[in-house]
Amino acid sequence: MQVEKKQFQAESKRLLEMMINSIYTQREIFLRELISNASDAIDKIYYKALTDDSLVYDKDSYYIKVTANKDARLLTISDTGIGMTQEELESNLGVIAKSGSLAFKKETEIKDGHDIIGQFGVGFYSAFMVADSVTVVSKAIGSDTAYKWESDGADGYTIEPTSKETVGTEITLKIKENGEEDNYDEFLEPYRLRAIIKKYSDFIRHPIKMEIPSSRLQEGSETEYEEYIEEQVVNSMVPIWKKNKSELTDADYEAFYQEKRYGFDKPLKHIHISADGAVVYNAILFIPENTPFDYYTKEYEKGLELYSAGVLIMDKCGDLLPDYFSFVKGMVDSEDLSLNISREMLQHDRQLKLIAKNIKNKIKSQLQTLLKDERERYETFYKAFGRQLKFGVYNEYGRDKDLLQDLLLFHSSTEKKLVTLDEYIGRMPEDQKYIYYASGSSIDRIEKLPQAEMVADKGYEILYFTDDIDEFAIKILTSYKEKEFKNVSSGDLGLDENEQENKDEATENEHKDLFEEMKSILGDKVKSVRISKRLRSHPVCLTTEGELTIEMEKILAAMPNNENVKADKVLEINSNHEVFASLKNSYENDKEKLGLYTNLLYHQALLIEGLPIEDPVQFTNDICKVMVTPSA
Ligand code: ADP
């Protein structure tokens, strides 16, 4: 019978080629990937059997088997798991990476296949790193027919009916011939295979069986040995979370992280919890090192694997993690949870709530320890996920701000690095009343903000807010250890300068008419025009009154269906600057010129803030006017 050859989806094909041709240093991980899949498939049938009376569960009949046939160069990984239907073979193995990752790949230039594997972990397809062709024979639970999926890589694949007695999946790899520099024979050596399984898959909870050549004394002889094949279970099978922490090394946790494919980076930190208080559970949690490519998208789904007495009942239990810790990966196993619990019931489960609360506090304290003892690693973490913590401060009207505020870091104007709020407070001179901050799109831009001049001159430290969420989070926080936050660009700065203040007030009163005139020239664009108490060398700046600042206005304006909300802006003039004399002069002698100057200053202030100029043509015309009229 001629079987139609189907093509991989175009994107899959390119990925596959890249992978096959990539010089992947750890080819051996293909075995881990296939064994993990097999183990997952057994988990699924195991769970089904426990909750479905029509299936009889017999522990001994669930296992994974790895068999090598050196002469035929065949390596087989078989399992008694749930199996795949024809449709599942097609949809699971016919497309490589998920659509999200493909879209991502289009946007970013990824040069070599290595990164692809690193980023997405293409699981099953890693088989093509060591095999010329792969055959999958599978019979799904509840189905009469088995199907054979076959592919020799980039060319495409075929699917046809076949026969298989038992439910489960059998994957056979035709191992590549050795190349000049590549040794593939090792993947046909039982001892080598056993070592690879020990290294990566020791904690797999189902038996991994192998046939290992052995020898024993011949019966009746004291010197003669005979060769025979012994079937061995090669993994220890005790799940890692049931082990004693003292028996485990960092490498064990790392191997578990990779075996579980929680991420394709190395975990930055692991947290192993064995709780036997009000609720009994074991958990292994990981803080990843890198931000997953889809982390800040809608597609990202938070959650931990949930086991009930060793049986996986949910892949991603979102209720176990607050959104601001959504980057945490790992699993929870508890005997206290009922097995056939539905998603809806789980949400209201008291035990689960207790576990979630417990986990939340554990993560917080581990992060705090990391911050205290391993600052550099903490900063790596913060670069990847700090934004999410700030989001947590802001979310739910600051419900968890107390938990999170000590974990925040901001760039400091004086330290020139990231600092905590506690460190800032610790450095505050006695006469400083507020925690000052300035917002802008980058550190460079904030550094040049005229509004910050006076505060900086006093020697006060300023925190730089460059993330769009920063100001929103701080508005919710309002204060830290009883010190209020103050934006250098809004309201009264609270600098204790009585003498200067009186002088400013006098000048302000003296020129009240001038400022009123300027305000009427600008109309609704500003709330008022006044003398600045924060400028030293610059002639002009914009500040705001009220809650909404200019940076917040910009962020809101960039949002879909924005309401076009505007900050209440104040045009501040430096009375010590020479332009002030020009303003006074034109107010008295030439009103038209006052109009010109006022508009120019306003537009300059907009430019400094990075705000758009409504009428750039008028602005340039105005500048030309100044260039051609003799100065006042
Ligand atoms: P991943 O495991 O990351 O989803 P894979 O490419 O390794 O990606 O596998 C794709 C899917 O194929 C799996 O999610 C699973 O549904 C199915 N699958 C793979 N191997 C097996 C197996 N041995 N038994 C049953 N289903 C399997």
Side-chain angles (χ1 to χ4, degrees), residues 33-42 44 77-79 81-84 88-89 91-93 95-96 98 120-125 136 138 168-171 261 264:
E33 302 292 306
L34 297 182
I35 287 176
S36 288
N37 281 348
S39 173
D40 289 348
I42 295 177
K44 284 176 196 160
I77 295 99
S78 62
D79 65 66
I82 198 150
M84 283 178 272
E88 282 166 342
L89 280 169
S91 63
N92 291 336
L93 310 183
V95 188
I96 297 193
K98 313 281 170 292
F120 310 124
V122 271
F124 169 77
Y125 289 88
V136 181
S138 195
T169 303
E170 189 178 289
I171 300 180
R261 302 214 215 114
F264 301 94

Side-chain angles (χ1 to χ4, degrees), residues 495-563:
L495 300 169
D496 245 345
E497 312 264 302
N498 280 339
E499 219 175 290
Q500 182 62 33
E501 216 146 284
N502 292 338
K503 209 176 117 214
D504 287 342
E505 223 151 279
T507 323
E508 182 111 27
N509 280 333
E510 193 185 327
H511 301 288
K512 212 165 139 245
D513 298 345
L514 163 64
F515 293 128
E516 269 169 17
E517 181 77 27
M518 289 174 78
K519 154 74 184 133
S520 79
I521 292 166
L522 293 172
D524 289 345
K525 290 175 199 153
V526 297
K527 198 83 193 300
S528 64
V529 181
R530 68 164 81 110
I531 295 264
S532 180
K533 293 173 188 158
R534 67 193 94 222
L535 291 175
R536 269 214 122 95
S537 59
H538 287 266
V540 67
C541 72
L542 273 180
T543 61
T544 52
E545 276 176 356
E547 286 304 298
L548 200 64
T549 66
I550 289 173
E551 283 308 307
M552 290 164 101
E553 174 188 308
K554 280 192 233 166
I555 291 153
L556 295 174
M559 289 197 181
N561 18 320
N562 74 80
E563 308 267 312

Side-chain angles (χ1 to χ4, degrees), residues 260 262 303-307 312 314-315 317 320 330-332:
K260 280 288 189 181
Y262 289 140
L304 300 175
E305 284 180 306
L306 186 60
Y307 289 80
L312 183 71
M314 203 182 286
D315 268 347
C317 181
L320 283 169
M331 53 72 54
V332 171

Side-chain angles (χ1 to χ4, degrees), residues 153-165:
D155 251 10
Y157 61 93
T158 57
I159 295 183
E160 59 186 304
T162 186
S163 59
K164 182 178 189 307
E165 250 174 51

